[in-house]
Amino acid sequence: MLVLSRKKGESIVIQDNIEITLLGVEGDTVRLGISAPSEVDIFRKEVYLSILESNRASAAPETATMKSLVEKYRKQIQGE
């Protein structure tokens, strides 16, 4: 993990097209501004993890169905 120190108004740049600026610090809260192309998705980590879990949950029934179908057709091919 790269750790950087920044003062209010200072930025970091990631590659050529993402800029993160420290907007302010109030107690334990840090405000960041992020400039990035519209095709770059930016999420708070807890939201991102929720999206991943939701995607896994919705894909799970499809995976089980596919495994069931593969097993069914494997048996048919083998003449069981």
Side-chain angles (χ1 to χ4, degrees):
M1 173 187 298
L2 173 64
V3 178
L4 301 171
S5 298
R6 298 280 73 203
K7 295 178 182 175
K8 185 177 176 179
E10 293 181 334
S11 300
I12 63 169
V13 176
I14 301 172
Q15 294 187 347
D16 292 328
N17 56 358
I18 300 172
E19 182 175 352
I20 302 172
T21 303
L22 178 61
L23 300 177
V25 179
E26 299 171 11
D28 290 341
T29 303
V30 176
R31 294 183 66 228
L32 301 172
I34 304 170
S35 297
S38 60
E39 64 269 9
V40 175
D41 293 328
I42 302 170
F43 301 102
R44 293 175 307 177
K45 186 172 182 178
E46 62 273 17
V47 171
Y48 178 73
L49 293 175
S50 176
I51 292 168
L52 286 180
E53 182 57 35
S54 177
N55 288 346
R56 282 190 202 113
S58 65
E62 293 176 19
T63 302
T65 301
M66 289 300 293
K67 285 180 182 179
S68 167
L69 288 173
V70 168
E71 183 63 22
K72 176 182 175 182
Y73 290 116
R74 185 188 65 79
K75 287 179 180 180
Q76 285 179 356
I77 290 170
Q78 294 176 349
E80 297 177 10

